Every structure is written in structure tokens, then in C-alpha cells.
Amino acid sequence: MYNNNDFFEFSTQQLTVTATGVLVAFVAGVLLAVVIARFREYYLNRAREEKYGQLIALGKKENEIMAHELRTEVEKEFRDREESIRQKEQSVRSALADAERRIEEIKKGEVRLRADEAEAGEDRKRLEVERAHCRHELLRMSSLSHAEVRKAVLDTVRAECETEVGRLRREILGRREEELRMEAERILVDTMQRLAPAISHEANSAMVAIPSEDMKGRLIGREGRNIKAFEQVTGTTLLIDETPESVLVSSFDPVRREIARIALANLIRDGRIHPTSIEEFVERAREEVIRDAVEIAQNAVEGLNLPSMPPALNELLGRLHFRLSVNQNTLEHSVEVAQLAGMIACELGVDPVPAKRAGLLHDIGKAIDSEEEGSHAVVGARILKQHDEDPRVVNAVAAHHREVEPESVYAAIVMIADSISATRPGARSSSMEGYVERIRSLETIAKSFPGVAEAFAVSAGRELRVIVSPDRLDEDAARETARKIRMRVEEEMQYPGTIRIMIIREQRFREEAR
């Protein structure tokens, strides 16, 4: 039997064991709680660091975008100030040149005045000699016979008739030239009316749609590496601003802009955006643009009913589709010149095929960036000669800017068609400031000549009408003034097409009978 002491001892041992277990469990629980708290604090700190890292990266991207915008604004302001300074400098130089010209004209006027005075003195002397001669002739004729007097009268009449015949000859030749001019105008007007061209619009950027705003961050990439890689490979500027669901590809080179637009659209569609994939998609887009260029060129050749061209010429011709000439699509301009040249050739009764081929290929030298030296007309003619093109076509291309002497009527046809296409309304956009400056420059040049009373530039600057004082300039001096104005305009101004200069010299006599 158990006694009370044994029971108490057993209970004490059991209680001790239990207390020890509880203590161990408590200590284990406390340690576990501490470990859990430490793990929780570690993961919270890690999540907080990742969040702060993302915020810092986003802040860096925003700062880069703001810096890019600020740099663009500063560069634009700098260019504007530089252009303003250049214009002011040009106006000062022009004013100085005008002052020097006027001083020179005053000096020449003084020299002419002295020469006129000397000539007037000589005329007075000649008049006295003529008077003495007339007195002598009258005295001599008083003793002549009837036959001798009749012969002298016939000689005088013959001299007067020769003067009148010369005047009639000039009138007849002038009338013939006027008829030829009217016929040429009729051919050109008929040709232009048969063609219904498109209006040119300026475009230096392309908009690309994106599926969501998150795509903008992916296009920028970590620390901007994606946008830097894209701009470096394509040679364009990728503008990512607050415009919803779109980004802008900007470049003055239309070929690069088109390649960048296609590559960016394919990248967005694929979703894998990193420097390696950017290079891959840009290369694919470049190949696609070349294929499209060849196809566009073939369609243009087929549309004009011309024989097929070598692949190399097709590629160069197709590249013109992505280039602009004063905001006019160069390939559309070339097709238009070919159509005009063909119609003018038909009106003149010559073979239209070489005319259309020369018109289509006249600007092919513009597809060469910097591989060959020389103007685009000379480079284009050299390329065509390498591909065994018709010599008439080669010469027409080389001579369409008068850098080479024309050898056939096709060169003149291409010159005329090129001028019509470039100067028709809506073909090439120009600013109002440039238009007003051209008009003002024409009138200023004309008014700088002595004897000019008024000058008016009409027909959008294509014609300059100059009114001269009849008491200061005779017909020969007026004709010489027109020539000098033409030379000044050609030397000092840049303009497409031609400018007609018309001198008006009118003298009126008025009397009132009372």
C-alpha cells in the first residue's frame, strides 16, 4: 500500500515534470513567435524595398522624360533665336548691299551725266556742221539739173523706206513669236487640264497605337534601355507623352520613319520588347520596306505602260515613295512629270515612251544618300548610263536642271513637265511668310533701278510688272533695265519655275479744247 509520503513525492515529481514541459513549451512558443516576427519583418522590409525601388525607377523614367522634353524645348528656343539672329543679320547685310548699290548707281549716274553733257556739246557741234552742210547743199542744188535733183530725192526716199521696212520686219517677227507663245501656252494648258493631281501634305511624324498605358513603361524599359536601343537602331526619335494609347515616331527622313513605324507596331503586337528583339524587328521592317518599294515602283511603271526596268532601278525608284521634295512626295512627283511629259510629247508629235521614261526617272538620283558625289541630276544620269538606258533618257535626266547641255527635244519636255509639277497650286506647301518675303524681294529689286516708278509682283510671284518713267528711260534703256532686273533676280533669289519680267513704258499727252 502507498503511504501519503510516497503519494506526495510522486505528485511532486509529476508536477515538476509538468512544469518543466510547460516551461519548455512556453520557451519554444516564445522562440517560435520571435522567429515568425523576424521572418515577417524581413519579408515586409523586402517588399517595402522593392516598392521603393519601383518608385525610384519610375521617378527616374519621369525625370528622363521631363529632361528630354526640357532639352527639346531649349533646343527649339535656341534654334528660333539663332534663326531670328540670322534673319536680322541677313536683313542688315541686305540693307548694306542696297546702300552700296545705290552709292554705286549714284556714281554711275554722275559719270553718265558728264558723258551726256559731253555728248550734248558734240551734238551741238555736229548740228552746226549739218547746218553749214545744208546751206552748201542748197547752194549746190540751185545749180543742179532736173535729173540730178530727181536722183537725190530718190536716194532720200530709199533711205526712209529702208527704215520703214526694218520696222515692219520687226513687227512681223514679233507677231510670229507671239503666235508661237500662244500655241505653246495652249499645249501646256491642255496638258495640265488633262491631269488631276493630288494635293501635298506635310508629314514628319507617325502615330502608333498601343493597347494600354502599361505598354509605355515597357517601351521605355529599365533605365530607358529599350527606348535608347530603339532610337539608336532606327535613327528616329520616339516620343512618349501623355497622349492616351499612342506614341509618336518622329524623323525628317521618311524612310527611317516608315521602318521605325512598322518595327514598333510589330514589337507591340509581339509583346517581347528588349534590345535584341528591337534589332530583329527593325531588320525585318527594313526588308519589308524594300519589298514594298520595289512593288510600288513596279506598279508605277505598269501604270504608265512602260517597259519593265532592272531590279536595281526598281528599288531606287521605289525609295522615292518615302522621300519628300519640299513636302511633295518624290515618286508621285516623278509619276506626274512622266504623265505630263507623255502628253506634251503627243501634242508635239514625238514618241511619248522616252519622254515618260525620262520623266519617271528624272529624280532617281535623290534615292542615293551619299554614296556618290554630284547633284541628283548628274548622279541619276550616271546610274541610268550604267544600266544601259536610252541615251535620250540619260541626257534628259542630266539636263533637267540645265547642268548639262540638252541634246534632244526630250530634255526640254522633261524640264517643262518638271516645272509644271513643282509649281502647280497645292503641289508643294510653303509658308505665308516665305510667300510674302518673295513678293517683297521682287518688288524691292525692281524699285532699286533708276527710272522705275512702280513695281508689282502678281500671279503669286510668277510675274513682275515694272512701270518706268518714259521721260527718264527710252525704249532701249527700258529693255536694258528688264535684262538687269532678270539677272539680279537670278543671282539673289531662290524660286521654283520661272518669273516673267514685264516692263511697261507708257507716255500720254493730254490737251483740253475749250
Side-chain angles (χ1 to χ4, degrees), residues 478-513:
R479 186 178 297 107
E480 181 65 16
T481 300
R483 187 184 68 83
K484 291 180 178 179
I485 292 175
R486 174 185 62 79
M487 294 175 63
R488 281 276 303 279
V489 170
E490 291 176 347
E491 292 174 358
E492 300 180 9
M493 296 186 62
Q494 298 290 333
Y495 53 89
T498 59
I499 297 177
R500 178 186 299 173
I501 300 171
M502 181 181 296
I503 298 291
I504 301 174
R505 180 181 179 273
E506 183 179 13
Q507 190 169 7
R508 299 183 182 183
F509 302 94
R510 179 179 177 182
E511 294 289 341
E512 292 184 1

Side-chain angles (χ1 to χ4, degrees), residues 8 27 297 339 509:
F8 179 76
V27 172
Q339 294 171 338
F509 302 94

Side-chain angles (χ1 to χ4, degrees), residues 221-233:
R222 181 175 296 178
E223 298 181 356
R225 63 175 186 176
N226 290 344
I227 189 173
K228 291 178 182 177
F230 185 85
E231 291 180 347
Q232 183 177 2
V233 173

Side-chain angles (χ1 to χ4, degrees), residues 21 55 65 69 88 97 138 172 180 218 268 319 341 388 454 489 511:
L55 291 176
I65 294 174
E69 294 177 352
K88 291 180 181 178
L138 287 173
I172 293 172
L180 291 174
R218 298 179 60 188
I268 293 172
R319 285 177 178 268
D388 298 328
E454 290 291 343
V489 170
E511 294 289 341

Side-chain angles (χ1 to χ4, degrees), residues 267-281:
L267 275 169
I268 293 172
R269 193 180 301 111
D270 183 76
R272 295 176 295 131
I273 303 176
H274 49 80
T276 304
S277 63
I278 288 173
E279 294 181 359
E280 179 183 350
F281 278 96

Side-chain angles (χ1 to χ4, degrees), residues 208-444:
V208 179
I210 58 177
S212 63
E213 292 298 311
D214 297 337
M215 183 60 68
K216 292 183 179 180
R218 298 179 60 188
L219 290 175
I220 295 174
R222 181 175 296 178
E223 298 181 356
R225 63 175 186 176
N226 290 344
I227 189 173
K228 291 178 182 177
F230 185 85
E231 291 180 347
Q232 183 177 2
V233 173
T234 61
T236 62
T237 301
L238 186 60
L239 301 178
I240 301 177
D241 51 18
E242 297 179 356
T243 305
E245 298 184 353
S246 63
V247 294
L248 197 67
V249 178
S250 177
S251 175
F252 287 100
D253 189 330
V255 178
R256 293 181 178 178
R257 187 173 63 246
E258 181 65 14
I259 292 173
R261 185 191 67 79
I262 295 174
L264 183 59
N266 292 335
L267 275 169
I268 293 172
R269 193 180 301 111
D270 183 76
R272 295 176 295 131
I273 303 176
H274 49 80
T276 304
S277 63
I278 288 173
E279 294 181 359
E280 179 183 350
F281 278 96
V282 168
E283 185 62 29
R284 292 180 186 175
R286 186 174 288 109
E287 295 175 356
E288 181 179 348
V289 167
I290 293 176
R291 288 196 305 270
D292 292 343
V294 173
E295 183 178 355
I296 291 171
Q298 291 174 348
N299 293 336
V301 173
E302 293 175 359
L304 292 170
N305 294 323
L306 292 175
S308 60
M309 296 186 183
L313 291 183
N314 271 334
E315 181 179 343
L316 292 176
L317 188 62
R319 285 177 178 268
L320 297 180
H321 174 72
F322 303 103
R323 295 189 177 275
L324 299 179
S325 178
V326 196
N327 296 322
Q328 184 183 25
N329 185 283
T330 308
L331 180 58
E332 293 179 1
H333 163 68
S334 299
V335 172
E336 187 176 315
V337 171
Q339 294 171 338
L340 289 168
M343 288 186 282
I344 294 174
C346 292
E347 292 285 344
L348 296 176
V350 297
D351 187 4
V353 174
K356 289 196 293 184
R357 199 171 181 92
L360 181 63
L361 298 172
H362 79 285
D363 274 347
I364 198 168
K366 292 182 179 180
I368 306 298
D369 292 329
S370 59
E371 291 126 12
E372 297 192 34
E373 296 181 355
S375 66
H376 72 274
V378 175
V379 172
R382 191 183 305 144
I383 293 172
L384 296 179
K385 190 174 182 180
Q386 292 173 357
H387 289 84
D388 298 328
E389 192 63 43
D390 189 338
R392 297 173 297 179
V393 175
V394 174
N395 176 255
V397 171
H400 80 275
H401 282 316
R402 297 180 175 87
E403 297 173 332
V404 176
E405 193 68 24
E407 297 177 358
S408 67
V409 68
Y410 295 104
I413 291 174
V414 173
M415 290 181 195
I416 295 171
D418 183 33
S419 177
I420 294 173
S421 177
T423 57
R424 65 173 176 79
R428 298 180 175 182
S429 62
S430 59
S431 63
M432 180 60 68
E433 291 80 6
Y435 169 77
V436 173
E437 181 65 25
R438 184 171 71 250
I439 297 297
R440 186 183 294 114
S441 299
L442 284 173
E443 295 177 351
T444 302

